[in-house]
Amino acid sequence: MELRCAWVTRDPEYIEYHDKQWGRPVYDARELFAKLCLDGQQAGLSWITILKRTESYHRAYADFDPVRIVQFDEQDVERLMQDTGIIRNRLKVQSIIKNTRAYLALEAEGIDFVDYLWGFVGGAPIVNQRQGNGDIPATSKESDAMSKALKKRGFTFVGSTICYAFMQAVGMVNDHLVTCPCHAECQQAAAT
């Protein structure tokens, strides 16, 4: 795939992520929750830094099981602060626990997390026709709205830039370059 998006490095793990995951529509609540939390961990860092730690995050945070994470206490925070497999920033460690509470609060209100998040793009992927990396914005009106709504509900590390990166990752926005074979693949996946 010589024509893949220009941001992809030669790192095999990054190539695999780009080719098999990034931009593919995700409709599973727990997977969306995990990806939102992981994107928040990226704040101030490159995505590859988090990508290479994804397995460690799943291990450290009970495979992103909200019922288990919500029970984490200060001892768990201290344990996580010693875990070299994750980013040991106290605010980021605590953010996943806070986000779990916010996620479960939505659920308790009878709000489906999948419908809630996909509602920011009208329930279907926005298919862009990006010609080059310079055409890809850091935010959008949809990510602005998602960020504002999530913050209001108690989520943290969900600024508009993080929300836009999340929307790209989970296929709410197809920002593969039109020259990248994954653009058409993601468009087809969204149609089915």
Side-chain angles (χ1 to χ4, degrees), residues 10 34 40 72 178:
R10 294 179 190 262
F72 283 16
V178 292

Side-chain angles (χ1 to χ4, degrees), residues 50-168:
I50 303 305
L51 181 62
K52 290 191 174 290
R53 290 172 170 80
T54 299
E55 191 175 305
S56 294
Y57 271 100
H58 277 272
R59 177 191 40 75
Y61 286 95
D63 203 25
F64 288 96
D65 179 350
V67 175
R68 291 178 59 195
I69 298 171
V70 78
Q71 296 173 22
F72 283 16
D73 58 17
E74 194 55 38
Q75 282 185 321
D76 291 298
V77 171
E78 293 308 319
R79 172 184 52 82
L80 292 164
M81 289 298 295
Q82 303 307 312
D83 190 332
T84 59
I86 65 171
I87 302 302
R88 294 176 294 170
N89 172 300
R90 189 170 297 277
L91 293 176
K92 289 182 178 185
V93 165
Q94 293 170 330
S95 76
I96 293 177
I97 300 166
K98 288 179 183 177
N99 290 351
T100 300
R101 290 185 194 122
Y103 171 89
L104 290 172
L106 280 170
E107 195 175 76
E109 288 181 43
I111 298 170
D112 181 87
F113 196 59
V114 175
D115 293 340
Y116 179 74
L117 291 178
W118 276 90
F120 291 100
V121 292
I126 295 170
V127 179
N128 292 313
Q129 302 296 315
R130 309 291 189 201
Q131 302 296 317
N133 280 351
D135 297 340
I136 302 173
T139 64
S140 67
K141 64 181 169 72
E142 294 84 5
S143 69
D144 291 345
M146 179 185 283
S147 173
K148 185 176 178 181
L150 288 171
K151 286 178 182 178
K152 188 174 181 181
R153 292 228 170 237
F155 287 84
T156 60
F157 283 88
V158 288
S160 187
T161 300
I162 289 171
C163 285
Y164 195 73
F166 166 74
M167 294 167 83
Q168 291 172 310

